[in-house]
Amino acid sequence: MAISTDNVMLALSRVIDPDLKKDLVSLGMIRNLQIKGKRISFTIYLTTPACPFKDSLKKACIQTIKENVDAGAETEIAFESRTLSGKKEDAEELLPGVKNIVAIASGKGGVGKSTVAANLALSLAASGAKVALVDADIYGPSVPIMFGAVDKELTSVEENGKVKVIPMEKYGISLMSIGFFVDASKALIWRGPMASGALKQLFTEVKWGELDYMFIDLPPGTGDIHLSLVQTLKLTGAVIVSTPQEVALADARKAVAMFENPKVGVKVLGMVENMAWFTPAELPENRYYLFGNGGCRKLANEMNIPFLGEIPIVQSVCQAGDNGEPAVLNEKNPAKSYFDDIAGKLASRISVVNAGAFTTVLNP
Ligand SMILES: Nc1ncnc2c1ncn2[C@@H]1O[C@H](COP(=O)(O)OP(=O)(O)O)[C@@H](O)[C@H]1O
Ligand SMILES: [Mg+2]
């Protein structure tokens, strides 16, 4: 077949996006197609820079052109992305520049919610997305320690007569924490309305600007504070973190029920199992399922929620958090690949949810 725009596009229309279940051409993902002799080049526009299928899409495109257009074609593919937004255009907007707000929640405390939130945020930022992490855990803010930002001072600007706080920048993401305003070493007693008011200010009185993903590290549990936050913000969805023990799973189930309650109406994007097993450094092949095996995956299946993946117990994950340099920043950390994998799956899932009923997901 001759190498022509039509023939190349026809061949590319055989490649299906694994998330959106439609072909790349009708999704409007193929752009800037250029042909010079046997050389074909184009750009694939992804719905998230963290797309886990980049390599397999590239291979499939090259293959289909060789098979259906010209076996001697030389195909060059670039990637660009435009993160899909989880907002409805007409929504009354508190944060108009933020495309996706994702709450990280758990039933119980201490399951690694903050650790998962921080590492997923950093992993997506490393793929090229603009990301923020908001630490809304009034009972145990941990962002200042996890990001080595305990003594850092916040700055502010005046905008239209209002003072707005500038988020802290660290490792390529924007950070805000209730812990930047209160002394985390003192036990604080928050009455419900006071806590909700303070938390709301993290969104209304901070200059957030344009973001692809904003992660909110929620307090553990399912109380009024959660409800008022969830109702103030237009969330794309929530991720539930649990450990495999029955006691943690029982509370995770409650968290899912809260979000999915029709009055709350927040989609659960998926579940993550943290501390899934332990592998000692000196026996890298051995897995010890200290808290039981596969409980979270089973619960996710039962509740019809996507299971996004599991993270083992790794001593250096804990140390990395304490030292202010989360695990995914270190190429050698054995947990990094698990966090990166979950971040990719979550980004895919968000794209799918946002793509909804659109046929062309990317407007030129
Ligand atoms: N996969 C893991 N391996 C080892 N330690 C972990 C892991 N996940 C979390 N931790 C550690 O467990 C403790 C609790 O985690 P944290 O993220 O603060 O939980 P939460 O926010 O749910 O209360 C922290 O010291 C953290 O470093
Ligand atoms: Mg926490």
Side-chain angles (χ1 to χ4, degrees), residues 109-115 274-275 311-314 317-318:
V111 297
K113 181 171 47 63
S114 301
T115 305
N274 189 29
M275 312 198 196
I311 302 146
I313 300 173
V314 176
V317 166
C318 186

Side-chain angles (χ1 to χ4, degrees), residues 24-240:
L24 301 190
V25 175
S26 53
L27 286 167
M29 290 168 82
I30 307 292
R31 301 284 170 81
N32 312 332
L33 175 61
Q34 288 184 2
I35 295 168
K36 283 195 191 109
K38 295 249 178 204
R39 299 177 76 104
I40 302 170
S41 66
F42 56 87
T43 304
I44 301 180
Y45 265 76
L46 300 167
T47 53
T48 168
C51 175
F53 307 113
K54 268 186 194 169
D55 288 343
S56 60
L57 281 176
K58 192 169 178 170
K59 274 191 200 135
C61 289
I62 293 172
Q63 177 95 4
T64 187
I65 290 172
K66 279 196 190 305
E67 281 173 9
N68 298 296
V69 183
D70 188 318
E74 284 172 41
T75 305
E76 220 171 274
I77 301 172
F79 284 99
E80 282 203 35
S81 62
R82 191 170 304 159
T83 308
L84 288 187
S85 171
K87 305 275 185 60
K88 292 186 187 67
E89 301 263 310
D90 59 354
E92 220 180 272
E93 235 355 298
L94 199 57
L95 298 168
V98 182
K99 289 182 176 171
N100 294 289
I101 306 177
V102 178
I104 311 288
S106 70
K108 276 187 93 61
V111 297
K113 181 171 47 63
S114 301
T115 305
V116 170
N119 283 293
L120 294 186
L122 290 168
S123 177
L124 289 185
S127 73
K130 279 197 210 139
V131 183
L133 173 60
V134 185
D135 178 5
D137 190 346
I138 50 168
Y139 305 116
S142 41
V143 158
I145 290 181
M146 278 195 307
F147 284 80
V150 174
D151 301 323
K152 296 261 163 56
E153 296 271 325
L154 290 167
T155 55
S156 58
V157 283
E158 206 177 304
E159 213 180 54
N160 308 326
K162 275 190 181 166
V163 176
K164 289 217 162 180
V165 179
I166 311 277
M168 202 167 287
E169 293 292 319
K170 192 94 197 244
Y171 309 130
I173 68 174
S174 305
L175 296 173
M176 192 45 69
S177 170
I178 201 89
F180 292 152
F181 301 98
V182 297
D183 184 347
S185 65
K186 295 207 179 85
L188 282 176
I189 300 164
W190 294 90
R191 289 209 188 87
M194 202 168 118
S196 297
L199 287 183
K200 199 172 168 191
Q201 290 179 1
L202 295 180
F203 303 95
T204 53
E205 284 169 35
V206 174
K207 191 173 160 60
W208 283 115
E210 306 279 317
L211 292 167
D212 294 316
Y213 303 101
M214 173 187 269
F215 286 95
I216 305 177
D217 183 0
L218 286 181
T222 53
D224 286 350
I225 295 168
H226 300 79
L227 286 179
S228 84
L229 202 61
V230 159
Q231 280 156 357
T232 310
L233 298 167
K234 303 261 181 261
L235 297 186
T236 305
V239 172
I240 314 287

Side-chain angles (χ1 to χ4, degrees), residues 321-340:
D322 289 347
N323 295 339
E325 253 180 71
V328 290
L329 296 171
N330 178 356
E331 289 298 328
K332 294 202 182 105
N333 193 302
K336 177 178 166 59
S337 61
Y338 294 95
F339 284 118
D340 286 340

